[in-house]
């Protein structure tokens, strides 16, 4: 294997440590530096949740060396990952200091390089044996008394030699290592452990290049939003989104190696409480080349654009929409079909039925669009009926792009009636992608019309360009590959009925898959015997079925992201039921009837239960994390939640305070990536988050006064008496740390302050120091 390449100005340094496989770990930063504390022959500074050691010649009153940013580059070649980490350090003091790094890593590290800028003695970095790493780690924890360091208990350590950091200067350190990635069938998994703490303040940039002799079907991260660029069928470039640079938690990346037309793999998490566990099925498509595969061509599209030309669309909005419509037509392939419909109080059609795109028909459409002017009211009902009435073009996937900038004011204006049209009058099963331009739209209506037809709603805010938003959606509809998808559950290896083996599968209706799409299904499985999923549909013009197996014996608590993602989607579905019940409740008496219905109370109760247990909060339930909220007073909690749902989900159906709800709910209903800070848009479209809830592995902890409380006993927190009290650093404490580390849950006792948690069904109080 090659040594890492070092930029000019860096010194290349030999390293030791040769084992079979490695998992790299660097611990992210705390916001404030801490005082120097003596350990062995050095002064330990656990700044940045990384181990940085400063030699004792540095006076105690000096500020310690700090980490300013971390850049990670990963190259994965045939299941071997080479990870290069550039760590930028800063010395804020007036004197030169020397530092040493201890970097936690799992078993089997192969270190390939340790480099830094400037001159010094020939330094080294070596992998410490497990016993020595454990001894050093325990000594650091005991001396520094910082619970944050416990997050990475159980890892081996890479220890560097001493390197200089100039006064008021910076230093760049580079560590390169390799490890063999874990594989599960056609799925390969990469994990970069990082702190799960919401105190995380150091920016990370992470990029990954995946190369394989086999075609790569899809790449997925359950932990961070990623941007993916496919450079060939065998190579994919991945970058963690800029908005995730401060997001805490391990960086997880999985990719599927292509096996046939559709490739899939299942992540399973065991949970005896639900009679089996949770699963996430990830499926990717074949890496298609030039619109064709050995099985045929991509499914052609029939696209109908429905454009609001009421008076409120006058000016720049209408011009943007007209430009976007022409851009969509231009983006269709020759031989695909299109139609144009414009409406105000009346409905006008370009053609009685969709026409095949040719140079002549495109020219006619451009001419027809030129004379459109904005005036009159908004007849959404009739426009929708006209769009759904024609027979679909044979062999094509029928799509409607429906735009409006206002509430229905002409003709049938009932929200319930209009949304039913999308179902009952939609004989051709057209996909209706809705666009709300501005805030004066009925967002639950647009959202429901789309959701019921395998589509989604898009909202264009006042400072956004309609043309840009519409073009982005249309690009995502390129090359339909698998349409009219359905799911069937079969039993075990021999097939047969799988009745009762899975439940609460989300989404309930599977989406169409376009070029580059992936399918992420979440649900709960029952029992310990294998389950077979059969996904079928129109694959490139032919009906085909694909089978994938879930083996509960392969379930592991390391897949702790699965139940929380399922809970997020489930909560969104329950909120949608409440929001839908608010249709046509413009009178207070009607809203009161909805709010007192037993079904409403049942939905709210289940939302509170799931939100509390999994630490997944929304704008309606964020008060659960508020200091002083006593979940033991169930009736008080229910009353506040019900008020929030009535005033917001039911009553508020248009305006910016409705747009934010629809954007939050759509994102959560199809959530594929964890949201550890519970970030959402508030009623003023500000991005806010919740800091008093900490998601740790498969647990959630709530901050109550000076301690953290396990969510499973939060409602009993004021009455419960811990079965055992364990003091930080004691023998019982170290045994608990080792046990939780073996389960991947050591972060549960890495929080600052006392922690009340459940172990083997019993409440245990861990007394941690509040500050290092």
């Amino acid at each position: 294997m090659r040594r890492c390449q070092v930029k000019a100005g860096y010194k290349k340094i030999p390293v030791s440590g040769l084992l079979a496989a490695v998992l790299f770990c660097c611990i992210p930063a705390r916001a404030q530096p801490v005082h120097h504390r003596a350990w062995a022959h050095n002064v330990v500074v656990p700044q940045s949740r990384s181990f940085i050691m400063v030699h004792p010649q540095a006076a105690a009153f000096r500020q310690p060396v700090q980490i300013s940013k971390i850049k990670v580059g990963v190259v994965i070649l045939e299941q071997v990952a080479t990870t290069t980490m550039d760590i930028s350090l800063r010395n804020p003091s007036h004197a030169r200091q020397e530092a040493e790094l201890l970097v936690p890593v799992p078993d089997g590290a192969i270190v390939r390089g340790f480099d830094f800028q400037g001159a010094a003695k020939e330094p080294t970095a070596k992998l410490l044996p497990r016993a020595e790493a454990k001894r050093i780690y325990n000594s650091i924890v005991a001396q520094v008394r910082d619970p944050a360091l416990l997050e990475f208990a159980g890892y081996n350590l890479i220890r560097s030699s001493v390197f200089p950091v100039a006064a008021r200067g910076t230093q760049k350190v580079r560590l390169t290592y390799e490890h063999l990635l874990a594989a599960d069938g056609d799925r390969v998994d990469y994990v970069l452990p990082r702190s799960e703490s919401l105190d995380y303040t150091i920016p990370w940039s992470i990029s990954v290049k995946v190369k394989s002799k086999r075609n790569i079907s899809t790449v997925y991260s359950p932990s961070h939003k990623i941007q993916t660029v496919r450079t060939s069928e065998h190579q994919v470039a991945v970058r963690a989104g800029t908005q995730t640079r401060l997001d805490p938690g391990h960086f997880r990346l999985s990719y599927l190696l292509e096996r046939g037309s559709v490739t899939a793999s299942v992540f399973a998490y065991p949970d005896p409480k639900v009679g089996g566990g949770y699963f996430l099925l990830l499926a990717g498509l074949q890496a298609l080349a030039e619109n064709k595969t050995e099985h045929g061509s991509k499914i052609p599209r029939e696209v109908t654009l429905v454009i609001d030309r009421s008076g409120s669309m006058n000016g720049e909005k209408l011009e943007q929409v007209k430009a976007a419509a022409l851009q969509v037509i231009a983006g269709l392939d020759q031989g695909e079909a299109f139609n144009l419909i414009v409406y105000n109080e009346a409905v006008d059609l370009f053609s009685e039925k969709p026409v095949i795109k040719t140079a002549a028909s495109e020219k006619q459409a451009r001419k027809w669009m030129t004379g459109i002017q904005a005036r009159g009211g908004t007849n959404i009902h009739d426009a929708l009926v006209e769009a759904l009435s024609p027979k679909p073009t044979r062999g094509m996937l029928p799509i409607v792009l429906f735009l409006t900038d206002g509430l229905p004011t002409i003709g049938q204006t009932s929200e319930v009636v209009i949304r039913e049209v999308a179902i009952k009058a939609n004989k051709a099963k057209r996909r209706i992608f809705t666009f709300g331009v501005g805030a004066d739209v009925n967002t639950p209506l647009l959202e429901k019309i789309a959701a019921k037809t395998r589509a989604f709603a898009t909202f264009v805010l006042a400072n956004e360009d309609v043309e840009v938003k519409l073009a982005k959606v249309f690009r995502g509809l390129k090359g339909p590959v698998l349409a009219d998808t359905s799911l069937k559950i079969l039993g075990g290896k021999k097939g047969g009925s799988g009745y009762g083996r899975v439940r609460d599968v989300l989404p309930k209706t599977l989406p169409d898959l376009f070029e580059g799409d992936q399918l992420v299904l979440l649900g709960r499985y029952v029992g310990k015997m294998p389950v077979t999923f059969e996904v079928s549909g129109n694959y490139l013009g032919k009906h085909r079925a694909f089978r994938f197996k879930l083996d509960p014996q392969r379930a592991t608590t390391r897949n702790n992201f699965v139940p929380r993602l399922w809970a997020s989607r489930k909560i969104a579905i329950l909120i949608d039921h409440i929001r839908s019940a608010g249709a046509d409740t413009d009178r207070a008496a009607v809203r009161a009837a909805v709010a007192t219905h037993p079904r409403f109370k049942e939905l709210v109760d289940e939302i509170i239960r799931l939100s509390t247990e999994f630490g997944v909060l929304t704008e309606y339930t964020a008060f659960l994390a508020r200091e002083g909220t006593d979940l033991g007073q169930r009736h008080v909690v229910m009353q506040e939640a019900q008020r929030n749902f009535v005033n917001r989900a039911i009553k508020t159906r248009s305006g910016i305070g409705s747009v934010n709800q629809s954007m939050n709910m759509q994102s959560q209903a199809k959530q594929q990536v964890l949201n550890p800070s519970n970030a959402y848009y508030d009623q003023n479209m500000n991005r806010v988050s919740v800091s008093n809830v900490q998601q740790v592995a498969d647990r959630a902890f709530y901050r109550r006064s000076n301690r953290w409380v396990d969510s499973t006993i939060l409602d009993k927190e004021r009455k419960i008496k811990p079965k055992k009290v364990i003091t930080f650093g004691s023998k019982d404490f170290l045994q608990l740390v080792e046990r939780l580390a073996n389960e991947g849950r050591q972060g549960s006792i890495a929080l600052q302050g006392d922690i009340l948690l459940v172990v083997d069904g019993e409440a245990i109080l861990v007394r941690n120091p509040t500050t290092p």
Side-chain angles (χ1 to χ4, degrees):
M1 298 182 183
R2 69 177 180 83
R3 297 179 62 85
C4 72
Q5 299 298 312
V6 182
K7 295 179 182 178
Y10 281 83
K11 189 173 184 179
K12 186 177 289 185
I13 300 157
V15 297
S16 62
L18 184 62
L19 293 171
V22 69
L23 183 65
F24 176 79
C25 169
C26 185
I27 314 175
R30 298 172 61 81
Q32 299 295 328
V34 299
H35 296 295
H36 296 59
R37 295 180 184 270
W39 170 74
H41 300 291
N42 294 332
V43 176
V44 177
V45 183
Q47 186 268 346
S48 302
R49 291 186 179 232
S50 264
F51 293 114
I52 300 179
M53 298 204 275
V54 182
H55 272 251
Q57 62 259 36
F61 57 82
R62 288 182 189 150
Q63 292 179 283
V65 174
Q66 301 171 354
I67 294 179
S68 58
K69 63 181 178 180
I70 300 171
K71 181 180 179 181
V72 179
V74 184
V75 176
I76 301 174
L77 179 61
E78 302 300 339
Q79 205 177 323
V80 176
T82 301
T83 300
T84 300
M85 185 170 216
D86 291 324
I87 306 172
S88 296
L89 304 172
R90 182 173 69 90
N91 178 6
S93 74
H94 294 282
R96 179 180 182 271
Q97 299 193 68
E98 292 186 326
E100 179 179 4
L101 290 179
L102 279 177
V103 181
V105 295
D107 293 340
I110 302 176
V111 186
R112 289 302 183 191
F114 175 65
D115 316 288
F116 63 82
Q117 291 176 320
K121 295 180 181 179
E122 193 70 15
T124 61
K126 67 178 182 178
L127 182 70
L128 302 180
R130 173 175 285 275
E132 184 179 354
K134 183 177 179 180
R135 178 183 60 78
I136 293 175
Y137 188 88
N138 288 342
S139 297
I140 293 173
V141 172
Q143 292 292 324
V144 178
R145 298 187 62 77
D146 182 4
L149 304 180
L150 297 169
E151 276 201 83
F152 296 92
Y155 287 87
N156 291 334
L157 296 175
I158 291 175
R159 185 177 188 177
S160 79
S161 55
V162 175
F163 54 87
V165 187
R168 295 284 184 178
T170 60
Q171 176 62 277
K172 291 184 178 179
V173 178
R174 172 172 291 173
L175 176 67
T176 302
Y177 61 90
E178 293 180 350
H179 65 296
L180 182 67
L181 300 184
D184 186 342
D186 297 316
R187 190 187 81 235
V188 180
D189 300 324
Y190 174 89
V191 180
L192 178 66
R194 302 157 74 231
S195 171
E196 295 177 285
S197 173
L198 293 177
D199 293 336
Y200 181 88
T201 59
I202 297 302
W204 287 56
S205 62
I206 303 173
S207 61
V208 184
K209 289 184 179 179
V210 183
K211 303 177 183 179
S212 174
K213 293 180 180 178
R214 288 174 60 185
N215 287 358
I216 299 169
S217 172
T218 194
V219 179
Y220 168 65
S221 173
S223 62
H224 293 74
K225 292 182 179 179
I226 57 174
Q227 300 165 353
T228 303
V229 177
R230 181 183 289 276
T231 53
S232 74
E233 296 174 340
H234 306 277
Q235 184 169 323
V236 177
V238 179
R239 182 177 297 276
T242 54
Q243 71 275 22
T244 68
R245 287 166 59 85
L246 296 179
D247 284 356
H250 301 338
F251 175 74
R252 300 177 184 271
L253 188 75
S254 297
Y255 61 93
L256 301 184
L257 297 174
E258 194 174 289
R259 183 179 297 276
S261 302
V262 178
T263 305
S265 183
V266 180
F267 299 86
Y269 172 91
D271 189 348
K273 297 195 306 293
V274 300
Y278 298 83
F279 70 84
L280 183 154
L281 184 145
L282 170 66
L285 300 170
Q286 189 177 28
L288 302 175
E290 297 182 0
N291 296 339
K292 291 187 176 182
T293 72
E294 56 184 312
H295 301 291
S297 301
K298 296 177 185 177
I299 304 167
R301 298 162 295 179
E302 173 206 281
V303 178
T304 300
L305 290 114
V306 185
I307 300 171
D308 182 349
R309 68 180 185 102
S310 61
S312 56
M313 285 289 291
N314 191 38
E316 186 179 11
K317 279 197 293 187
L318 183 59
E319 294 307 312
Q320 289 178 356
V321 169
K322 288 162 67 174
L326 296 175
Q327 190 179 106
V328 167
I329 295 173
L332 291 171
D333 295 332
Q334 294 293 320
E336 293 187 309
F338 73 91
N339 200 3
L340 294 166
I341 298 175
V342 296
Y343 69 98
N344 46 21
E345 65 270 10
V347 182
D348 296 321
L349 287 72
F350 169 71
S351 173
E352 291 298 318
K353 62 180 181 179
V355 298
I356 300 299
K357 179 190 172 180
T358 62
S361 63
E362 183 177 357
K363 182 178 180 180
Q364 290 173 343
R366 289 181 177 276
K367 184 177 179 180
W368 188 79
M369 288 287 290
T370 303
I372 295 174
Q373 295 180 334
R375 57 172 59 94
T378 307
N379 192 340
I380 291 177
H381 177 273
D382 288 1
L384 195 56
V385 169
E386 289 291 349
L388 302 179
S389 295
K391 291 183 179 180
T393 308
R394 186 177 178 83
M396 295 189 182
L397 182 68
I399 296 171
V400 174
L401 304 179
F402 192 99
L403 290 87
T404 182
D405 82 328
L407 302 170
T409 58
I410 301 293
Q412 179 57 259
T413 60
S414 166
E415 179 181 336
V416 173
V417 173
I418 294 174
R419 77 186 185 195
E420 288 301 312
V421 168
I423 304 171
K424 295 179 180 178
N426 194 4
K427 306 298 183 183
K429 298 181 179 179
R430 285 181 164 86
R431 282 61 169 163
I432 309 172
F433 292 86
T434 56
F435 295 81
V437 183
D440 190 26
V441 294
N442 187 321
T443 68
L445 173 61
L446 299 182
E447 192 181 342
K448 184 60 73 173
I449 288 173
K452 288 292 185 180
T453 60
R454 300 179 191 261
F456 55 84
T458 300
F459 298 98
V460 186
L461 301 180
N463 59 343
E464 296 179 322
D465 191 311
V466 182
E467 183 178 356
V468 172
K469 280 290 190 78
L470 181 57
K472 181 179 180 181
V473 171
F474 183 67
R475 282 196 302 271
L477 304 180
K478 181 181 179 182
V481 178
L482 181 61
D484 299 313
T485 48
S486 63
L487 176 67
K488 187 177 181 180
I489 307 300
L490 306 174
K493 298 179 180 179
K494 297 182 180 180
S497 174
Y499 180 77
R501 295 303 317 282
V502 301
R503 55 179 177 239
D504 293 320
V505 178
L506 302 172
K508 185 178 180 180
T509 301
L510 273 59
D512 301 314
L513 297 183
F514 296 83
E515 183 179 322
D517 278 352
Q518 58 187 205
L519 175 66
V520 177
L521 286 179
L522 288 151
R524 300 195 287 186
Y525 65 87
V526 178
K528 298 181 179 180
M529 298 300 292
V531 179
T532 299
F533 299 96
E534 181 179 272
V535 177
S536 61
N538 176 3
Y539 182 83
L540 299 175
K542 297 179 181 179
H543 182 81
R544 295 190 59 191
F546 310 92
R547 292 186 176 183
F548 316 105
K549 189 177 76 171
L550 183 164
D551 184 359
Q553 300 303 317
R554 301 183 69 85
T556 170
T557 55
R558 300 286 175 177
N559 294 332
N560 49 61
F561 55 88
V562 175
R564 186 164 281 115
L565 286 175
W566 173 85
S568 294
R569 288 192 181 184
K570 183 66 175 179
I571 290 168
I573 297 302
L574 297 174
I575 293 172
D576 178 62
H577 287 318
I578 292 175
R579 199 138 157 79
S580 296
D584 297 335
T585 57
D586 52 339
R587 291 182 293 119
V590 180
R591 287 197 299 272
V594 172
T596 56
H597 195 280
R599 177 59 176 159
F600 172 72
K601 294 182 178 180
E602 181 181 279
L603 290 169
V604 173
D605 186 70
E606 181 64 4
I607 290 170
I608 291 174
R609 186 189 70 80
L610 290 172
S611 299
T612 303
E613 178 182 351
F614 291 95
V616 175
L617 304 184
T618 64
E619 63 172 296
Y620 316 104
T621 56
F623 73 92
L624 296 174
R626 186 179 61 213
E627 188 70 47
T629 299
D630 183 2
L631 267 69
Q633 298 183 13
R634 192 68 174 180
H635 66 288
V636 176
V637 172
M638 281 289 291
Q639 286 176 356
E640 182 162 0
Q642 288 173 359
R643 282 196 301 272
N644 291 342
F645 281 111
V646 169
N647 293 330
R648 300 283 296 125
I650 292 178
K651 183 179 178 180
T652 307
R653 311 194 73 76
S654 64
I656 201 70
S658 183
V659 171
N660 85 292
Q661 293 183 73
S662 290
M663 291 180 66
N664 289 334
M665 196 163 67
Q666 278 201 139
S667 175
Q668 194 169 339
K670 58 183 180 182
Q671 189 172 337
Q672 300 183 19
V673 180
L674 293 172
N675 181 14
S677 61
N678 283 304
Y680 61 85
Y681 291 106
D682 69 8
Q683 59 187 1
N684 297 313
M685 283 302 295
N686 297 313
R687 193 70 171 167
V688 299
S689 58
V690 180
S691 61
N692 281 348
V693 176
Q694 179 72 58
Q695 299 173 0
V696 180
D698 54 356
R699 305 288 185 91
F701 293 86
Y702 288 71
R703 183 78 175 181
R704 291 293 188 260
S705 297
N706 64 339
R707 69 179 181 181
W708 293 90
V709 182
D710 193 318
S711 65
T712 59
I713 54 174
L714 191 61
D715 59 340
K716 310 178 189 69
E717 184 251 338
R718 298 193 180 187
K719 299 179 180 179
I720 200 166
K721 292 184 178 179
K723 194 78 173 180
K724 191 174 186 180
V725 177
I726 297 178
T727 304
F728 181 90
S730 66
K731 181 179 178 180
D732 286 346
F733 179 84
L734 295 178
Q735 289 176 347
L736 180 60
V737 170
E738 186 168 1
R739 173 185 169 167
L740 292 175
N742 291 335
E743 298 172 353
R745 297 184 172 113
Q746 60 268 50
S748 298
I749 53 173
L751 303 169
Q752 295 290 342
D754 292 348
I755 304 169
L756 186 63
L757 74 160
V758 176
V759 179
D760 293 333
E762 295 182 345
I764 293 177
L765 179 63
V766 177
R767 292 204 176 277
N768 274 340
T770 55
T771 57

